[in-house]
Amino acid sequence: MNIAVVIPALNEASTIERVVASAMGPEGGATAHLVNVVDVVVVDGGSEDETQTRASSAGARILNTQRSRARQLQVGIEATKSDVVLLLHADTCLPTGWATAVLGPNRTEL
């Protein structure tokens, strides 16, 4: 099963790398054995800082749209084809074990 993590952002340079890393951490990316995070999408609403550069260097795909959290989330959701979409604020890191919590503890094959 594929999970996309959609992160709306606006001037989040100080936190975005850590947030993206938490989404791509031990349960995501190429090292995953239970879940495949195929898409970490940062939807920028017009940042005037290094948000986009830092998110991209951390491995996220960057999309741009007008400033509006609801619009940013909509653009991110529409841009992914994943089975599950997790919406994450740009100042919130996912904890270890997040994929199991999202998908359920009895899930053994994804």
Side-chain angles (χ1 to χ4, degrees), residues 1-3 14 16 21 27 32 36-37 41 45 50 56-57 60 75 83 87 91 96-98 103 106 109:
M1 181 169 291
N2 299 322
I3 296 178
S14 65
I16 198 67
E27 292 185 320
N36 184 22
V37 177
V41 182
E50 296 288 319
S56 179
S57 69
V75 166
D83 302 309
L87 307 176
D91 61 355
T96 300
W98 68 267
L103 298 174
N106 297 323
E109 183 180 324

Side-chain angles (χ1 to χ4, degrees), residues 9 15 17-18 20 26 28-29 51 56 62 65-67 70 96:
T15 60
E17 289 170 298
R18 189 170 55 251
V20 170
T51 296
S56 179
I62 309 300
T65 191
Q66 60 201 27
R67 185 179 301 189
T96 300

